[in-house]
Amino acid sequence: MPGKPYFLLILVLATSCSIFKPIPQPKREFRGFWVATVVNIDWPKSGKDTLEKQKADYLDILEFYQAMSFNAAIVQIRAAGDAFYDSEHAPWSRFLTGQEGKASGTDVLEWMIDETHKRGMEFHAWLNPYRATFDLNTEILSPIHDYYLHPEWMIKYGKKFYYDPGLPQVSKHLVSIMEELITNYEIDAIHFDDYFYPYKVKDEVFGDSLSYASNHLANQSLEDWRRSNVDSLVKNVHQSIKSKKPWVQFGISPFGVWKNNSTDPKGSDTKAGQTTYEDLYADPLLWMEEGWMDYLVPQVYWSMDLPVASHRKIVDWWSHNTKNTNLYIGNGAYKIRNNSDSSWNRKKELPDQLKLARENEAVEGNVFFSAKSLMQKNSDVVEYLKKKYYNYDALTPILPRADSTPPDKVSIVSVHNEKDVVRISLNNSEVCTYALCYASGKRVKSNYPIKKLLTKIYLGNKDRIEIGKKWVQGRKHIALTFLDKFGRESEPIVIHLNQTDPYDSKR
C-alpha cells in the first residue's frame, strides 16, 4: 500500500528507540556490595598475606566498585565470635592475621574506613551476632574466645557452635560489642545478615531447652520465645546506636522469604524450603513496624521467574510490606553463569533485576553478593551495567526518620584558585560528611542533577577542601553543596573561579 515503507521505517525507529532508551539514573540510590571475610571469601585472600598485600587487595575492591559508581561497602568484621579490630570482647580474627588472637599490629579497620570514605563510599560494619565458630575445630580458637570464656553460652548445632540467643547475658554481651564499635570507629552503619537462629539441620534439635525453661514467659511457645529473643537484640542494638550516634544506620539483610503463602495468606507466592519467620525466628515486619531499622535488604538471590521463588514476585511482596524503612534488594551476583538455574546464563538476568528495582518506587537500591563475583569474570555484564545503569554516581538515600530540614549552613571562608588545585576554607564543616562539587553556570540553581556532579570530597572533620584542577579546568563556575550525617543536602553555593573574589555571599 502507498506509504508502507515509511510506516515500516517509523516502526523500526520506534522499536529501536525503545530498545536503546536510556535507563533513568536516580540522584539517590543505594549501591552496595558485601565484602565477605569468613574463610577469606572476598578479602583478605589469605590471613597469612602481608599487611601490604591485604591493603592492596582491599583497594582493588574499592577501586573496582568506585569505577562502577557504587557508594557503599558492607564489610564483614565479625564472622564467628572474632574481630577485625582490637576488641575488649573478642579475639583478633584468624581470617585477618592467620592465627586467631594474633594482633594485626595496626588498626586495619580504621584504615579501611578511611580509604572507603576517601572514595565517596559509606562503610557498613557487617557482624554475625550469633555464630560463635565456623566449624568444630575449636583447637584453633584463641583462649579469650567466648567458646572458652563462656562455655555455658554455647550450643553445638550441626557443624558449628552458636551463642544461645535465649540467655540475657548473651544479648547484653552482643550489645556491648556494637557499642564498642560505634564508640571507637567512624562507621556509617551496623549491618546484620540472615544468620539469626541457624538454618534447620535435618534430624537435629537446637539445644536451648534449658534457657527456654528458665526465661520464657507464661504460656509463651518455644517459637514465639525464640522470636522474642531476636526481637530484643534488634531493639536493643538499635536503641544503643541511636543513643550514641543517631546518624549511624542499622541495617538488616534477612533471608528473602518471610513466609510462604501456603502457611500464611500474608506470605509470598513462593515455596521456599525454610523461611525467615518460621525457621530463623526473625520477624523483620515487626522490626519495621517498630522503627528498629534504617534499612532492609532481603536476600532475593533467585532468578526473575524461578517457579519456587521468583525474584519478581518476592521484590513485589517486599515492596508492599515495607514501612518506616529504606528498602534495598540483595542480588545474587555470584550466580551469574555459575548456577544450575539456566536463567543465570543470560547476560541480562542481573540487569533485568536492577530494572525491576528501578521501576518499583518502594525500592531505593541494590546490594550485590559478593564483592569478588563481578571482579573475576563476566566482564560483559560489568560493562553493560556501567553503560546502562551506573554511568553516573548516586547519593545514598536519606535516613528514613530524618526530617527534610537542610543541614546547618557551611560557609565559605576563602577560596584560593592556584595552579594545580582550588583550596577552599570552610566554617561549620563539622556538621557534614561530604562536599559535592557540581558544574554550574553563573547563577545558582536550587538543585543540581547528578549528571552535573564533578567530584565528591570526604570532609572528615576538616575545615578545608581541595579540588583538583582536572575537575575545574576551563570552568568559570562551580557549585558546592554539603551532605550532613543523615544524608541531607545543603543549599548550593556558586564559586566564581575567574574572579579576584571567587566567592561573594551576596551573589
Side-chain angles (χ1 to χ4, degrees):
M1 67 179 180
K4 184 176 180 180
Y6 300 100
F7 171 78
L8 291 177
L9 177 61
I10 293 170
L11 180 63
V12 169
L13 290 174
T15 303
S16 300
C17 289
S18 65
I19 292 173
F20 296 104
K21 183 180 179 181
I23 305 296
Q25 301 287 298
K27 183 166 184 175
R28 289 187 182 268
E29 181 178 63
F30 193 85
R31 301 173 182 174
F33 54 95
W34 279 289
V35 181
T37 62
V38 65
V39 295
N40 305 107
I41 291 175
D42 289 312
W43 181 87
K45 293 182 180 179
S46 171
K48 296 181 180 179
D49 285 343
T50 64
L51 180 62
E52 290 72 21
K53 184 178 187 308
Q54 290 182 346
K55 285 186 173 182
D57 288 341
Y58 183 71
L59 294 182
D60 283 347
I61 295 173
L62 291 186
E63 286 164 7
F64 176 87
Y65 283 97
Q66 182 183 24
M68 287 189 71
S69 302
F70 273 53
N71 53 30
I74 304 176
V75 183
Q76 190 176 33
I77 62 167
R78 175 186 170 87
D82 54 3
F84 271 57
Y85 54 97
D86 189 11
S87 173
E88 294 182 4
H89 305 293
W92 283 91
S93 174
R94 68 182 183 275
F95 305 127
L96 177 67
T97 66
Q99 178 184 337
E100 187 149 306
K102 177 184 175 183
S104 169
T106 187
D107 196 334
V108 179
L109 180 56
E110 182 177 45
W111 176 85
M112 293 169 69
I113 294 168
D114 186 51
E115 292 295 331
T116 305
H117 285 160
K118 283 179 183 177
R119 287 159 178 79
M121 298 179 185
E122 295 181 352
F123 187 97
H124 293 224
W126 166 18
L127 302 96
N128 293 91
Y130 292 130
R131 185 168 62 201
T133 72
F134 190 73
D135 51 38
L136 299 179
N137 186 14
T138 55
E139 292 80 6
I140 63 175
L141 300 179
S142 165
I144 62 168
H145 190 285
D146 286 329
Y147 174 83
Y148 288 113
L149 296 182
H150 299 285
E152 72 280 7
W153 292 356
M154 299 292 140
I155 295 177
K156 176 184 173 296
Y157 186 67
K159 296 182 179 180
K160 297 178 177 65
F161 283 91
Y162 297 87
Y163 290 84
D164 184 349
L167 296 176
Q169 54 269 43
V170 164
S171 184
K172 182 178 179 181
H173 177 66
L174 295 175
V175 172
S176 296
I177 290 169
M178 310 305 157
E179 289 178 343
E180 177 187 56
L181 194 56
I182 291 293
T183 301
N184 294 340
Y185 293 96
E186 292 301 316
I187 60 175
D188 299 288
I190 293 285
H191 181 92
F192 288 174
D193 60 17
D194 55 319
Y195 288 96
F196 294 101
Y197 277 82
Y199 284 87
K200 296 286 179 64
V201 176
K202 186 178 180 181
D203 299 327
E204 288 204 37
V205 176
F206 191 74
D208 57 353
S209 57
L210 292 179
S211 52
Y212 170 65
S214 301
N215 297 296
H216 78 283
L217 301 176
N219 300 318
Q220 188 178 33
S221 70
L222 174 65
E223 291 76 14
D224 286 343
W225 172 75
R226 285 176 173 173
R227 276 185 286 273
S228 73
N229 295 329
V230 180
D231 293 343
S232 294
L233 176 66
V234 170
K235 177 183 178 181
N236 292 338
V237 169
H238 176 264
Q239 289 181 341
S240 178
I241 291 171
K242 299 307 177 182
S243 67
K244 294 182 178 299
K245 294 180 179 179
W247 57 87
V248 172
Q249 303 165 64
F250 184 29
I252 297 178
S253 176
F255 179 70
V257 176
W258 176 72
K259 284 186 187 180
N260 299 311
N261 60 11
S262 59
T263 62
D264 188 328
K266 293 192 300 182
S268 54
D269 181 15
T270 51
K271 298 177 182 178
Q274 299 196 46
T275 68
T276 288
Y277 186 91
E278 294 151 320
D279 297 288
L280 307 182
Y281 303 102
D283 189 6
L285 298 192
L286 174 66
W287 308 338
M288 288 188 285
E289 183 72 36
E290 297 294 337
W292 295 340
M293 291 186 298
D294 294 295
Y295 69 85
L296 180 76
V297 194
Q299 296 177 18
V300 194
Y301 292 167
W302 302 279
S303 61
M304 287 289 280
D305 297 299
L306 185 70
V308 295
S310 159
H311 184 96
R312 189 189 310 277
K313 289 181 178 180
I314 297 172
V315 169
D316 182 68
W317 187 90
W318 282 107
S319 73
H320 286 93
N321 287 278
T322 298
K323 60 173 65 174
N324 305 322
T325 306
N326 291 345
L327 173 63
Y328 316 137
I329 299 301
N331 302 87
Y334 70 99
K335 288 187 174 182
I336 298 173
R337 299 177 181 130
N338 185 38
N339 195 259
S340 58
D341 177 2
S342 61
S343 296
W344 286 102
N345 294 330
R346 297 174 52 243
K347 174 183 173 180
K348 293 188 178 181
E349 176 60 37
L350 183 59
D352 284 349
Q353 294 181 10
L354 300 183
K355 184 174 186 291
L356 178 72
R358 287 250 178 105
E359 291 174 346
N360 191 317
E361 292 184 0
V363 178
E364 298 186 71
N366 298 81
V367 185
F368 291 175
F369 187 84
S370 66
K372 71 180 182 183
S373 301
L374 294 177
M375 295 179 66
Q376 298 178 341
K377 51 188 178 181
N378 300 313
S379 59
D380 58 330
V381 176
V382 172
E383 290 306 312
Y384 188 84
L385 291 175
K386 284 182 182 180
K387 182 178 180 180
K388 293 293 184 181
Y389 291 88
Y390 299 136
N391 52 341
Y392 295 119
D393 289 331
L395 308 182
T396 53
I398 297 172
L399 270 64
R401 281 166 292 283
D403 61 42
S404 58
T405 306
D408 293 341
K409 187 172 183 179
V410 177
S411 56
I412 307 295
V413 177
S414 63
V415 179
H416 298 282
N417 192 355
E418 302 176 7
K419 181 179 179 181
D420 298 317
V421 70
V422 177
R423 290 188 170 89
I424 302 175
S425 297
L426 308 169
N427 187 39
N428 202 34
S429 61
E430 68 278 0
V431 302
C432 293
T433 56
Y434 286 99
L436 304 179
C437 175
Y438 294 97
S440 178
K442 181 178 181 180
R443 297 186 180 279
V444 67
K445 296 182 178 180
S446 60
N447 182 40
Y448 286 81
I450 197 66
K451 66 181 181 180
K452 294 289 186 181
L453 181 65
L454 299 173
T455 186
K456 181 180 179 182
I457 304 166
Y458 181 62
L459 294 173
N461 295 321
K462 298 190 293 289
D463 59 3
R464 186 178 73 172
I465 60 173
E466 296 183 351
I467 304 173
K469 276 296 173 74
K470 70 175 182 178
W471 302 114
V472 298
Q473 194 72 42
R475 298 186 183 280
K476 295 181 180 180
H477 311 92
I478 57 172
L480 290 182
T481 65
F482 298 89
L483 290 180
D484 74 359
K485 294 178 179 180
F486 295 90
R488 298 172 295 198
E489 188 173 11
S490 70
E491 296 178 357
I493 302 169
V494 168
I495 305 292
H496 301 253
L497 293 174
N498 295 336
Q499 296 188 10
T500 304
D501 176 14
Y503 171 67
D504 181 348
S505 60
K506 295 178 182 179
R507 289 191 180 98

